[in-house]
């Protein structure tokens, strides 16, 4: 894949106090020459805060912004229907089945498939890609390894039986919908084996399977292909003419990293961008009635939360955990900061997922919270820190929570950072409190139960590191319940099990669940077909056109 672009003149966005003149100066910053020379109708320009992207390798990418890129650039065996995520659709596979033993899954590929490189795409590439994800064992590997795939057995458990047939053998008979839905996740993206292995780096006789190279490069077969990624600046995609399906309607899609909502709005009004993705309720209101701009919204499988690290002995007290839940003004934040972009939701399963609970028992109750803190024997004021990504609405929520916590006797120090900084610290569980979002990786309740309500090993170096582990929440009994729900084939029984798990989670967890996201984008009127998907990897740009 070529990466020989001329120097980019797009200004790097930094948080600062800007007047209208300052915003205008940023808005008129020139895009790279190759973008300016492109036919406007063939180029889609999106403003998005994507400072959370750490890698573009589907075996490692686990951030929301990266998910969108994976969804447009990499194919999987199957996908789900965006309009109805409960329905599965062919992607690379034309058919699939599970044997009577409940453990053997067979996928038949479409013939004549090719990668963007021109290399043939066969069952060997599919098997290699799934094996590679397990062998590299990066953050999202658990989505596959939960089915008993290990470094020792994966090459026999996932294999190509013919050039167009892939067979997966799980260790147990899981709910088939769970297995299929996991194969729609980004980690199941298929990479070009020949290309990736040609970039392999050897160290002490061990190859990295192209890991170092694929962090910033591309080896997929999707409708769009990566041309350039410059962290916190620009990410460029181009049409893949070797794609076997309907070709992308736009020749290229350019993401500009723009964090400030006001700047995104100005760029959109001027026509310098086609789509604005991080607008605040205030800027959305200001655009209402604009003849050249429309909005689109989708309830996302994404939840906002903050969590208390149980390594902090004060935050590990049950009464303290509960007190935090009574010190959030959910209603006020919902009517202001989250207006039209989220709804109060105090459960880890977002609405729309099978088994999601609707209970929202908590509200702002300062006296109740203070009584709980006194019962816990906490010396007030309790001083703690929170790691926060400097992007809206996360920053606004954090500042609002800081005020109500103070009323209860908790002094919250905000530690701001970009997405990469805050996530790295969180994943090392070296925080006091972390605030962020979690998006469903696949459309099955286990996607969130597995991370919020399951922690099979709370040691310092476990095989998997779910959100419960990141917050040192040791929950052997709840883990057993979550494992049982993943294997239950009776839908009615499975739904009841998730209802019980969510109820226990609300009562006892160190997570304060806040809102479910309504993802809103403002779009120029000449853009057609843009739709935000329910998960990060289902916002498809290749179906969008401009007139």
């Amino acid at each position: 894949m070529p990466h020989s672009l001329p120097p980019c003149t797009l200004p790097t966005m930094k948080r600062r106090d800007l007047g209208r003149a300052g915003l205008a100066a940023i808005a008129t910053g020139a895009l790279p020459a190759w973008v300016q020379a492109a036919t406007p109708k063939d180029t889609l320009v999106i403003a998005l805060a994507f400072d959370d992207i750490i890698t573009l390798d589907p075996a490692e990418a686990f951030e929301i912004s990266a998910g969108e890129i994976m969804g447009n650039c990499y194919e999987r065996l199957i996908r789900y229907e965006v309009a109805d995520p409960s329905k599965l659709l062919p992607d690379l596979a034309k058919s699939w089945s599970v044997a009577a033993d409940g453990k053997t899954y067979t996928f038949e590929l479409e013939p004549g498939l090719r990668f963007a490189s021109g290399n043939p795409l066969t069952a060997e590439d599919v098997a290699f890609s799934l094996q590679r994800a397990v062998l590299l064992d990066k953050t999202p590997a658990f989505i596959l390894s939960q089915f008993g795939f290990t470094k020792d057995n994966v090459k026999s458990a996932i294999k190509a039986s013919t050039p167009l047939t892939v067979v997966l053998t799980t260790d147990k008979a899981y709910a088939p919908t769970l297995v299929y839905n996991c194969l729609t996740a980004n980690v199941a993206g298929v990479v070009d084996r020949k290309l990736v292995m040609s970039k392999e780096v050897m160290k002490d006789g061990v190859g990295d399977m192209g890991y170092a190279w694929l962090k910033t490069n591309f080896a997929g077969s999707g409708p769009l292909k990566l041309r350039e990624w410059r962290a916190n600046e620009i990410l460029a995609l181009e049409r893949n003419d070797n794609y076997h399906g309907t070709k992308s309607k736009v020749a290229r899609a350019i993401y500009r990293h723009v964090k400030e909502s006001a700047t995104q709005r100005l760029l959109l009004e001027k026509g310098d961008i086609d789509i604005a993705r991080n607008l605040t309720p205030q800027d959305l209101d200001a655009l209402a009635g604009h003849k050249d701009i429309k909005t689109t919204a989708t309830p996302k499988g994404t939840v906002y939360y903050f969590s208390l690290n149980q390594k902090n002995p004060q935050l590990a007290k049950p009464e303290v955990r509960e007190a935090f839940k009574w010190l959030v003004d959910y209603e006020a934040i919902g009517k202001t900061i989250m207006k039209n972009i989220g709804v109060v939701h105090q459960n880890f399963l977002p609405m729309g997922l099978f088994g999601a609970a609707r209970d929202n028992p908590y509200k702002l109750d300062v006296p109740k919270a203070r009584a709980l803190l006194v019962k816990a024997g906490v010396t007030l004021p309790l001083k703690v820190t929170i790691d926060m990504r400097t992007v809206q609405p996360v920053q606004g929520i954090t500042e609002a929570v800081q005020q109500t916590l103070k009323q209860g006797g908790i002094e919250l120090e905000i530690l701001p950072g970009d997405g990469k900084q805050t996530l790295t610290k969180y994943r090392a569980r070296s925080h006091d409190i972390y605030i962020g979002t979690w998006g469903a990786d696949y459309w099955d309740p286990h996607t969130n139960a597995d991370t919020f309500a399951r922690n099979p090993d709370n040691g310092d170096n476990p095989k998997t590191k779910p959100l419960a582990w990141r917050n040192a929440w040791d929950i052997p009994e709840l883990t057993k319940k979550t494992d049982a729900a993943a294997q239950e084939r009776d839908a009615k029984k499975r739904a009841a099990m998730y209802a019980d798990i969510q109820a226990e989670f609300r009562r006892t967890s160190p997570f304060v669940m806040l809102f479910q996201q309504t993802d809103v984008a403002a779009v120029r009127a000449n853009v057609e077909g843009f739709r935000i998907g329910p998960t990060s990897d289902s916002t498809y740009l290749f179906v969008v056109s401009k007139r």
Side-chain angles (χ1 to χ4, degrees):
M1 192 70 212
H3 291 272
S4 55
L5 295 181
C8 177
T9 56
L10 175 67
T12 300
M13 299 296 174
K14 295 182 179 179
R15 188 158 193 89
R16 66 186 94 177
D17 294 323
L18 290 169
R20 188 76 177 180
L23 290 173
I26 290 177
T28 56
L31 284 168
W34 62 274
V35 176
Q36 296 182 49
T39 305
K41 286 187 179 181
D42 280 348
T43 303
L44 191 68
V45 184
I46 307 110
L48 174 71
F50 57 80
D51 59 318
D52 58 328
I53 298 179
I54 297 172
T55 176
L56 293 176
D57 184 338
E60 184 178 31
F62 208 50
E63 294 71 44
I64 288 176
S65 297
E68 185 163 319
I69 309 306
M70 299 295 108
N72 281 281
C73 294
Y74 284 91
E75 294 184 278
R76 307 97 200 274
L77 286 167
I78 51 181
R79 289 183 187 254
Y80 63 78
E81 169 60 63
V82 174
D84 182 0
S86 66
K87 296 180 179 179
L88 297 172
L89 299 175
D91 205 9
L92 294 172
K94 64 178 182 179
S95 64
W96 51 92
S97 62
V98 58
D101 64 3
K103 298 190 294 183
T104 306
Y105 293 79
T106 302
F107 298 84
E108 297 293 335
L109 302 188
E110 293 279 0
L113 298 169
R114 285 190 297 164
F115 287 101
S117 67
N119 291 331
L121 192 163
T122 70
E124 289 287 352
D125 294 287
V126 177
F128 167 79
S129 301
L130 299 177
Q131 294 168 5
R132 178 178 180 271
V134 174
L135 292 169
L136 288 177
D137 197 23
K138 301 301 178 183
T139 304
F142 72 90
I143 296 173
L144 300 176
S145 61
Q146 65 182 311
F147 300 118
F149 305 133
T150 67
K151 293 182 179 181
D152 293 330
N153 72 17
V154 70
K155 289 187 178 181
S156 59
I158 302 176
K159 58 187 178 182
S161 61
T162 77
L164 294 178
T165 307
V166 181
V167 179
L168 284 70
T169 306
T170 61
D171 62 337
K172 299 175 185 176
Y174 296 90
T177 51
L178 171 59
V179 178
Y180 289 137
N181 283 320
C182 285
L183 292 174
T184 71
N186 288 323
V187 71
V190 176
V191 302
D192 185 334
R193 180 181 182 276
K194 183 177 180 181
L195 176 60
V196 168
M197 292 305 288
S198 73
K199 306 296 182 180
E200 184 174 44
V201 176
M202 302 296 294
K203 184 177 181 180
D204 299 327
V206 178
D208 73 346
M209 304 181 78
Y211 169 69
W213 179 80
L214 201 51
K215 271 182 172 290
T216 56
N217 287 277
F218 172 70
S221 60
L224 291 169
K225 59 185 181 181
L226 176 70
R227 173 167 178 173
E228 177 84 358
W229 168 42
R230 297 183 183 182
N232 298 353
E233 188 175 331
I234 191 170
L235 192 148
L237 307 178
E238 289 186 322
R239 181 189 292 132
N240 171 18
D241 290 325
N242 285 327
Y243 180 57
H244 64 94
T246 302
K247 302 296 188 291
S248 174
K249 294 182 178 180
V250 292
R252 60 198 62 80
I254 313 298
Y255 289 89
R256 297 178 65 172
H257 177 61
V258 184
K259 293 184 73 171
E260 287 81 1
S261 172
T263 307
Q264 288 197 13
R265 173 186 154 198
L266 183 60
L267 290 166
L268 188 68
E269 289 174 324
K270 288 171 61 63
D272 290 337
I273 62 171
D274 299 301
I275 302 172
R277 297 288 299 279
N278 304 106
L279 296 181
T280 64
Q282 294 74 22
D283 284 309
L284 287 167
D285 285 343
L287 291 172
H290 194 297
K291 65 181 180 65
D292 295 322
I293 297 172
K294 56 189 176 181
T295 59
T296 181
T298 298
K300 296 280 282 191
T302 299
V303 290
Y304 289 83
Y305 72 95
F306 67 84
S307 55
L308 317 178
N309 191 342
Q310 300 302 277
K311 284 192 169 187
N312 182 319
Q314 298 283 37
L315 300 179
K317 297 178 179 180
E319 298 88 353
V320 174
R321 295 200 297 259
E322 185 181 354
F324 271 88
K325 297 172 185 179
W326 294 106
L327 285 174
V328 177
D329 196 339
Y330 306 90
E331 183 178 2
I333 298 173
K335 290 180 177 179
T336 54
I337 297 167
M338 297 300 291
K339 179 184 176 184
N340 297 326
I341 61 172
V343 295
V344 175
H345 190 67
Q346 297 173 357
N347 301 280
F348 65 76
L349 287 184
M351 297 308 302
L353 272 177
F354 172 77
R358 297 178 178 271
D359 307 69
N360 294 321
Y362 298 103
K363 61 181 180 180
L364 180 62
D365 191 329
V366 175
K368 179 178 285 190
R370 290 187 72 95
L372 284 165
L373 293 171
V374 170
K375 183 179 178 181
V378 173
T379 301
L380 300 180
L382 172 61
K383 297 183 179 182
V384 288
T385 63
I386 186 167
D387 290 279
M388 176 200 75
R389 181 185 175 198
T390 52
V391 65
Q392 295 295 358
V394 171
Q395 183 166 341
I397 295 171
T398 308
E399 291 167 350
V401 170
Q402 183 186 45
Q403 295 176 25
T404 50
L405 288 178
K406 189 172 183 179
Q407 295 175 34
I410 299 173
E411 293 186 4
L412 184 68
E413 180 186 357
I414 299 174
L415 305 178
D418 65 20
K420 183 176 181 179
Q421 290 169 333
T422 56
L423 278 171
T424 299
K425 185 175 179 181
Y426 187 35
R427 289 170 176 170
R429 55 179 185 180
S430 58
H431 61 292
D432 273 348
I433 302 175
Y434 173 85
I435 184 167
T437 59
W438 183 265
D441 294 304
Y442 47 90
W443 210 249
D444 185 276
H446 192 63
T447 183
N448 278 22
D450 189 31
T451 196
F452 282 104
R454 185 174 183 273
N455 185 10
D457 183 354
N458 199 43
D460 289 334
N461 192 31
K463 291 182 179 179
T464 62
K465 298 180 179 181
L467 295 186
W469 177 88
R470 291 185 197 179
N471 291 282
W473 190 34
D474 197 8
I475 43 171
E477 294 306 314
L478 195 58
T479 297
K480 290 178 183 177
K481 290 184 179 181
T482 301
D483 288 342
Q487 297 174 45
E488 179 55 59
R489 293 186 159 204
D490 184 290
K492 188 174 181 179
K493 291 180 181 178
R494 195 173 186 224
M497 294 168 82
Y498 284 117
D500 176 62
I501 292 168
Q502 287 170 96
E504 183 175 341
F505 178 91
R506 287 192 302 272
R507 290 192 305 270
T508 65
S509 80
F511 294 89
V512 182
M513 307 306 297
L514 302 167
F515 301 95
Q516 180 173 345
Q517 181 185 18
T518 302
D519 201 347
V520 183
V523 184
R524 297 288 300 183
N526 66 326
V527 174
E528 298 179 341
F530 178 75
R531 176 177 184 170
I532 299 170
T535 57
S536 63
D537 58 348
S538 57
T539 298
Y540 298 143
L541 302 184
F542 53 89
V543 300
V544 180
S545 61
K546 291 175 67 177
R547 53 178 171 78

